[in-house]
Amino acid sequence: MNRTRLRRLAPRGLAALALAVVVLAAPRLVRADEPTWTYRPEALRPFWSGEVMEGESVLFVKDDDGGSARASVLMPIRKVLAVRDSTGATSYEDGRDFVWKAGSREIVLPPGSRIVASRPADLRRPPGTQMFRLTRRDGDGEIMFGEKLEYQALQTVITYEHDADAWRGPRPEFDSAALPRVSEKLKRGEPLSVALLGDSISTGCNASGWAGGAPFQPPYQDLLRLRLKERFGSEVRLTNLSVGGMDSAWGVTKINEVVEAAPDLAIVAFGMNDAAGRSAAEFRGNVEKIMSGVREALPETEFVLVGTMVGNADWTALHQELFPAYRDALAELKAPGVALADVTSIWSRFLALKRDWDQTGNGVNHPNDFGHRVYAQVIAACLIPESEGPSR
């Protein structure tokens, strides 16, 4: 598929975009001398627990009238521990580059700050000037598209202390009865076979490691594998069957490939491309078909169903009401051997407190590094009791 063909596909919206991102940013060879991401347990500690938020991303925005640039974090700040650029290479100074007040969620950039700041107009593009048609709901141009790390280059990463009960949003809870066979294998430190079936988010899109830029963080599925290895000592064999641009109907056609992977655990992660218009009933039916088809051949396989992140509400291609409807449909499928990793509710709370541009990877439908860590944390909560998570 060439660029001309991609442009012709653009008006068709969501599926075309997700597939195109994968085609245009194919995995590349990593040089032996290239910097790599170092695993740190605290980076995968559930953000909703403890008293430290590790590496939350924000995008500082100033009004077009020239006012101070500002951004909000998710919880009231007790103490700022570190503020860095998204690569981790540059550290910023309290008072010189940013100011904040205890008990506030807002951080402000004073004059002369070295932190990158954008104007709302910087995040828009004139109609027809991008490879994809990302029409804004307000009709004022298009959303700026980030093929790789364009948004992360504008974002800043903040680590801060907060009160232990500061997170007032959904809190994923471990259920020991949800995945009994997988949980037992992990407790014994046995090898675990995992098959992942999803869309471009699950191929790793817009994680810095996927894009080949600093800080080279892996996408959520690899973070999950590392986390399980660190916690249980289990070797996780991951078979990733995900393809960009695909949806739950396509997933039904891949049942045989999931079976061939012989997974102890199958992670099913659709919804973003379905949100172009598929009904919640049809979405649920497709996921049920995937599970029943796999279980017909492998009755002991257990499942984690992932409720997708919420896409940018400013994009006309997305039906926002479908995201919670899909989450509710997946929740109805919970049963012994089937767990729900509810990223949807977490992301909805993010968007009630912040803006999409704070944690987007491409502007419309992919997470950045922080978002990929949140995915890994929420899925890991289905497998690891919170009391056993990394502490800080």
Side-chain angles (χ1 to χ4, degrees):
M1 183 179 292
N2 60 33
R3 286 178 180 258
T4 301
R5 175 59 176 159
L6 291 174
R7 290 191 179 94
R8 289 203 299 268
L9 286 172
R12 298 177 60 185
L14 189 59
L17 169 62
L19 178 57
V21 170
V22 174
V23 172
L24 294 179
R28 61 188 185 86
L29 295 176
V30 178
R31 303 191 314 268
D33 61 344
E34 187 171 277
T36 57
W37 185 78
T38 301
Y39 174 82
R40 296 181 299 112
E42 60 268 25
L44 293 184
R45 174 185 48 79
F47 78 86
W48 55 87
S49 68
E51 298 181 26
V52 173
M53 170 62 84
E54 186 80 26
E56 179 183 340
S57 61
V58 300
L59 194 154
F60 284 97
V61 172
K62 55 185 175 182
D63 295 334
D64 288 325
D65 62 8
S68 298
R70 40 190 89 228
S72 294
V73 294
L74 291 169
M75 290 173 271
I77 301 168
R78 191 167 67 198
K79 181 181 179 181
V80 174
L81 300 177
V83 177
R84 299 184 177 92
D85 73 343
S86 62
T87 70
T90 302
S91 294
Y92 299 112
E93 297 178 23
D94 193 347
R96 174 189 173 187
D97 296 307
F98 63 92
V99 294
W100 59 283
K101 293 181 180 179
S104 171
R105 293 192 300 110
E106 187 175 67
I107 297 177
V108 180
L109 305 188
S113 172
R114 295 173 295 160
I115 297 174
V116 62
S118 303
R119 299 177 186 272
D122 297 333
L123 305 177
R124 297 174 185 256
R125 293 291 181 268
T129 61
Q130 301 187 110
M131 187 177 302
F132 309 108
R133 185 173 297 173
L134 305 177
T135 305
R136 292 182 56 89
R137 215 170 286 276
D138 63 9
D140 184 9
E142 298 182 3
I143 300 165
M144 184 188 92
F145 172 64
E147 182 181 340
K148 291 187 177 180
L149 297 177
E150 290 84 350
Y151 274 90
Q152 288 200 178
L154 302 177
Q155 292 163 345
T156 303
V157 176
I158 302 171
T159 298
Y160 59 96
E161 290 182 355
H162 55 78
D163 291 344
D165 62 349
W167 175 248
R168 304 300 174 84
R171 300 176 67 93
E173 297 182 358
F174 174 75
D175 180 357
S176 60
L179 303 171
R181 183 168 176 268
V182 168
S183 294
E184 192 58 35
K185 287 178 73 73
L186 289 172
K187 286 179 182 179
R188 295 196 296 261
E190 296 178 0
L192 189 72
S193 174
V194 177
L196 173 59
L197 187 63
D199 52 32
S200 55
I201 296 170
S202 297
T203 68
C205 278
N206 292 93
S208 58
W210 169 90
F216 300 96
Q217 179 192 292
Y220 82 81
Q221 61 272 18
D222 294 318
L223 295 175
L224 177 66
R225 179 177 54 81
L226 292 169
R227 176 70 183 100
L228 295 178
K229 171 68 174 177
E230 183 262 339
R231 168 59 187 85
F232 298 106
S234 296
E235 295 291 343
V236 177
R237 178 173 62 84
L238 174 66
T239 303
N240 193 348
L241 302 171
S242 304
V243 174
M246 298 299 110
D247 57 20
S248 62
W250 171 85
V252 174
T253 72
K254 297 299 173 179
I255 292 171
N256 288 342
E257 293 180 35
V258 177
V259 170
E260 288 173 6
D264 301 300
L265 178 68
I267 301 174
V268 181
F270 292 107
M272 183 57 71
N273 295 323
D274 296 270
R278 175 166 284 110
S279 72
E282 185 180 354
F283 176 76
R284 171 181 167 156
N286 288 337
V287 175
E288 284 184 299
K289 289 175 184 176
I290 293 169
M291 291 196 297
S292 61
V294 172
R295 281 183 161 169
E296 184 176 347
L298 302 171
E300 293 188 327
T301 295
E302 295 177 337
F303 293 84
V304 170
L305 309 180
V306 180
T308 185
M309 63 174 277
V310 178
N312 191 340
D314 288 335
W315 189 21
T316 57
L318 291 171
H319 296 258
Q320 291 293 311
E321 72 280 1
L322 290 174
F323 291 110
Y326 292 164
R327 173 203 58 210
D328 293 346
L330 295 178
E332 293 170 358
L333 298 176
K334 290 171 59 179
V338 182
L340 171 64
D342 183 5
V343 178
T344 307
S345 294
I346 295 284
W347 214 272
S348 296
R349 181 60 178 166
F350 286 177
L351 295 178
L353 296 169
K354 300 172 61 176
R355 298 293 298 269
D356 182 86
W357 56 50
D358 288 312
Q359 54 273 321
T360 188
N362 69 346
V364 283
N365 64 351
H366 294 159
N368 64 2
D369 275 350
F370 175 69
H372 274 280
R373 292 200 305 275
V374 170
Y375 259 81
Q377 291 165 14
V378 175
I379 297 172
C382 297
L383 301 164
I384 306 172
E386 185 170 314
S387 61
E388 299 179 13
S391 60
R392 170 104 181 225

